[in-house]
């Protein structure tokens, strides 16, 4: 499929291009806000859903070769709707909205494709958000060691920076930190 | 999953396996769902660590843009319907209303202050964290048993070495609120509210409780309305909003 010219917005999120990110807000925030407010939500909900959707795009599409094949706004809006529906489902207000959303989408292949993409991105960002929550429960030393290790710093460099005795101590600590993180994730995030 | 399995996954993802070992791992991914699941989680953890700096930058930017582009529309005025009542019906209604008002006043006086109905705090749990000489279990115990002055001092000491620890900041704010040190509590909650972190809803909630305790119901109400539906605090926020009327 040919790359859509809106690919630049996905790239902007991955790279952090301030000007284009503001353009995303300019173009799409009013529409999302209006839709959420018309569907049992308020402006704060809309803002929340909008941010989470952009994070979902980051999580889903910034780690691989990805070519956007549809307008950015369509993907974003589709994820926003999905997230808002999930939020409402938790609040047990969803039923009427679900019917409405399903009626709104035609059964064309494109609409299905978009719904599927949104579902994947939302699931991906759920996992990432839960990893973030549990990561923040680790000790500061763990967080720093894992971050430095992920940036490719050597065991010796990490030992020096964090005041640990040697690289073996760093590896042992990294190992314990990963185990703890995994354990917290299993306890709190397994669906 | 055994320890060796995780090591194998690590080495696979780091590209440290030879062809034969790689084939064995890939065959196992097909046949062993729990192994495949563990591999997937490791990939997600690596992705998280890679993207984290960018996520943090985006959060800050989103907070600014969000304030600019998501503005509250002016509230719609509620239509007040006046029913056509006869003079007698008005009198009955007025008498009834008086009785309700009197009852409500009596009821409110018998009730605890609103703040004290809502100040149940989640217990503090810090022992997981690196302590640097602060006895964290003592701080926890102090907070959880309501010795807030002692908790505040311990948290201050801990925060001097870990200024970015949001959990500790939140609890410092709560301890200060309980001690009516509003000048300490308010900036902490306000910063958390705008942090774009997992703690932002707690920041808004506790800032609302602070204003409630100070008697500033308008600001309390405005903050409660900012808590999004997806938040775990939404239920409490709505209940309190209802009581505020």
């Amino acid at each position: 499929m040919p790359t859509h010219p809106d690919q630049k917005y996905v790239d902007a999120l991955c790279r952090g291009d301030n000007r284009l990110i503001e353009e995303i807000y300019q173009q799409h925030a009013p529409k999302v806000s209006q839709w959420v407010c018309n569907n049992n939500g308020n402006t704060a909900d809309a803002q929340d859903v909008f941010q989470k959707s952009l994070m979902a795009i980051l999580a889903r599409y910034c780690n691989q070769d990805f070519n956007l094949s549809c307008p950015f706004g369509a993907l974003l809006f589709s994820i926003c709707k999905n997230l808002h529906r999930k939020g409402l489902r938790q609040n047990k207000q969803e039923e009427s909205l679900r019917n409405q959303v399903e009626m709104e989408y035609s059964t064309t292949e494109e609409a299905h494709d978009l719904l599927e993409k949104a579902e994947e991105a939302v699931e991906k960002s759920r996992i990432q958000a839960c990893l973030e929550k549990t990561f923040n429960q680790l000790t500061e030393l763990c967080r720093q060691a894992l971050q430095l290790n992920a940036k490719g710093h050597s065991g010796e460099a990490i030992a020096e920076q964090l005041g640990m005795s040697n690289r073996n101590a760093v590896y042992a600590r990294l190992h314990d930190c990963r185990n703890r993180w995994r354990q917290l994730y299993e306890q709190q995030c397994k669906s | 999953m055994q320890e060796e399995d995780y090591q194998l996954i690590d080495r696979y993802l780091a590209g440290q396996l030879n062809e034969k070992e790689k084939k064995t791992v890939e065959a196992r991914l097909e046949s062993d769902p729990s192994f495949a699941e563990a591999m997937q989680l490791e990939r997600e953890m690596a992705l998280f660590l890679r993207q984290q700096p960018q996520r943090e930058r985006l959060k800050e930017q989103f907070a600014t843009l969000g304030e600019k582009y998501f503005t509250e529309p002016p509230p719609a005025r509620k239509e007040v319907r006046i029913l056509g009542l006869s003079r007698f019906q008005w009198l009955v209604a007025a008498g009834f209303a008086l009785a309700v008002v009197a009852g409500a006043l009596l009821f409110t006086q018998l009730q605890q202050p609103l703040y004290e109905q809502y100040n149940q705090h989640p217990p503090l749990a810090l022992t997981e964290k690196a302590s640097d000489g602060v006895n964290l279990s003592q701080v926890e115990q102090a907070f959880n048993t309501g010795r807030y002055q002692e908790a505040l001092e311990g948290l201050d000491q801990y925060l001097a070495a870990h200024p970015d620890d949001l959990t500790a900041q939140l609890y410092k704010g709560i301890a200060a609120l309980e001690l009516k040190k509003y000048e300490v509590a308010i900036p902490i909650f306000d910063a958390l509210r705008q942090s774009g972190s997992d703690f932002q809803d707690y920041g808004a909630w506790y800032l609302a409780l602070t204003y409630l305790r100070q008697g500033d119901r308008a600001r309390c109400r405005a903050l409660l309305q900012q808590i999004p539906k997806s938040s775990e605090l939404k239920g409490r926020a709505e209940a309190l909003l209802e009581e505020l009327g």
Side-chain angles (χ1 to χ4, degrees):
Chain A
M1 245 186 273
T3 305
H4 196 281
D6 282 358
Q7 174 74 32
K8 65 178 179 188
Y9 294 116
V10 177
D11 296 342
L13 279 178
C14 305
R15 280 198 323 268
D17 179 325
N18 294 354
R19 190 182 60 78
L20 283 177
I21 293 175
E22 176 146 14
E23 217 173 286
I24 297 174
Y25 270 78
Q26 258 166 5
Q27 290 182 8
H28 306 293
K31 194 176 163 201
V32 169
S33 192
Q34 194 185 11
W35 184 84
V36 170
C37 291
N38 287 338
N39 287 285
N40 294 322
N42 57 29
T43 313
D45 299 327
Q47 186 179 344
D48 187 51
V49 154
F50 196 82
Q51 287 184 17
K52 284 186 175 150
S53 299
L54 292 177
M55 284 297 184
I57 293 176
L58 175 82
R60 178 70 184 89
Y61 296 122
C62 290
N63 60 327
Q64 53 175 305
D65 287 336
F66 165 71
N67 289 324
L68 188 72
S69 57
C70 61
F72 182 81
L75 177 65
L76 177 64
F77 200 34
S78 180
I79 298 172
C80 286
K81 283 180 173 174
N82 186 313
L83 276 173
H84 185 59
R85 283 170 65 188
K86 286 208 160 73
L88 290 180
R89 195 177 304 154
Q90 283 167 359
N91 288 314
K92 304 191 194 325
Q93 297 174 9
E94 195 232 3
E95 210 159 310
S96 66
L97 179 59
R98 187 178 54 212
N99 298 334
Q100 188 195 331
V101 169
E102 276 165 10
M103 272 166 60
E104 201 175 311
Y105 285 110
S106 54
T107 50
T108 63
E109 221 167 280
E110 275 168 349
H112 270 297
D113 181 48
L114 206 53
L115 282 176
E116 211 167 283
K117 279 197 179 110
E119 189 64 43
E120 280 169 13
V122 165
E123 175 57 15
K124 187 88 176 176
S125 75
R126 186 191 67 80
I127 295 170
Q128 288 291 315
C130 221
L131 280 171
E132 180 173 31
K133 179 173 131 192
T134 46
F135 181 78
N136 287 333
Q137 293 166 10
L138 296 174
T139 60
E140 177 131 355
L141 188 63
C142 270
R143 296 199 300 257
Q144 286 180 350
L146 286 167
Q147 279 161 339
L148 291 170
N149 184 54
K151 282 185 191 152
H153 292 240
S154 68
E156 286 86 352
I158 300 176
E160 201 186 317
Q161 208 164 328
L162 300 184
M164 294 166 75
S165 50
N166 55 36
R167 67 174 190 175
N168 287 337
V170 172
Y171 293 142
R173 174 61 70 138
L174 279 170
H175 174 259
D176 291 345
C177 295
R178 287 187 159 280
N179 276 346
R180 175 73 182 141
W181 190 13
R182 228 180 265 127
Q183 187 190 14
L184 289 169
Y185 182 88
E186 303 276 330
Q187 286 165 359
Q188 297 173 33
C189 309
K190 270 305 198 42
S191 53
Chain B
M1 289 285 291
Q2 302 292 315
E3 189 48 51
E4 303 84 68
D5 294 328
Y6 288 116
Q7 284 173 12
L8 192 61
I9 290 173
D10 268 355
R11 291 178 54 217
Y12 176 80
L13 291 177
Q16 292 167 347
L17 297 184
N18 64 34
E19 276 310 306
K20 196 179 157 202
E21 289 169 319
K22 248 163 78 177
K23 290 232 164 72
T24 319
V25 166
E26 277 152 15
R28 197 167 156 204
L29 285 174
E30 297 289 318
S31 63
D32 180 350
S34 65
F35 186 73
E37 201 181 314
M39 173 77 85
Q40 189 52 34
L41 181 56
E42 293 302 309
R43 283 187 199 277
E44 294 287 350
M45 287 161 78
L47 173 67
F48 170 81
L49 289 169
R50 226 175 20 249
Q51 288 190 336
Q52 203 207 10
Q54 175 65 357
R55 285 169 75 101
E56 296 302 322
R57 276 194 296 275
L58 283 177
K59 268 187 199 167
E60 278 177 28
Q61 204 184 347
F62 290 171
T64 319
L65 289 171
E67 295 225 339
K68 186 166 166 192
Y69 289 98
F70 286 88
T71 41
E72 203 73 49
R77 288 178 71 93
K78 269 197 181 158
E79 208 181 315
V80 182
R81 290 182 60 200
I82 300 172
L83 299 171
L85 297 178
S86 72
R87 196 184 156 82
F88 174 72
Q89 282 170 315
W90 269 116
L91 277 175
V92 172
F96 183 70
L98 263 178
V100 168
V101 170
L105 276 176
L106 184 64
F107 184 57
T108 328
Q109 278 169 357
L110 289 174
Q111 273 182 329
Q112 306 166 275
L114 256 186
Y115 171 75
E116 269 145 47
Q117 294 173 41
Y118 283 90
N119 71 340
Q120 299 95 15
H121 314 301
L124 174 61
L126 281 177
T127 37
E128 186 41 39
K129 298 178 182 290
S131 68
D132 296 328
V134 184
N135 187 337
L136 289 180
S137 59
Q138 253 175 33
V139 179
E140 274 176 19
Q141 216 190 351
F143 183 93
N144 296 337
T145 53
R147 286 178 283 128
Y148 292 114
Q149 184 57 43
E150 193 183 329
L152 185 64
E153 284 160 17
L155 284 164
D156 260 339
Q157 219 177 326
Y158 172 80
L159 278 164
H162 308 272
D164 297 328
D165 188 320
L166 298 183
T167 312
Q169 285 176 23
L170 174 67
Y171 280 89
K172 180 184 167 184
I174 300 175
L177 167 60
E178 285 293 340
L179 295 164
K180 297 192 179 173
K181 294 186 174 175
Y182 302 125
E183 72 292 350
V184 178
I186 288 174
I188 294 178
F189 296 143
D190 203 33
L192 286 171
R193 181 177 73 87
Q194 294 177 49
S195 64
S197 68
D198 284 350
F199 290 91
Q200 62 182 17
D201 297 343
Y202 276 93
W205 167 251
Y206 275 106
L207 192 55
L209 284 190
T210 310
Y211 287 133
L212 176 67
R213 198 169 195 198
Q214 287 182 308
D216 187 344
R217 292 187 166 212
R219 282 166 111 167
C220 172
R221 198 177 293 124
L223 281 159
L224 293 173
Q225 280 161 350
Q226 282 177 21
I227 294 176
K229 282 219 169 66
S230 55
S231 167
E232 56 191 316
L233 292 163
K234 187 67 185 171
R236 289 164 83 185
E238 275 177 347
L240 178 52
L241 267 173
E242 204 162 298
E243 300 225 32
L244 287 170

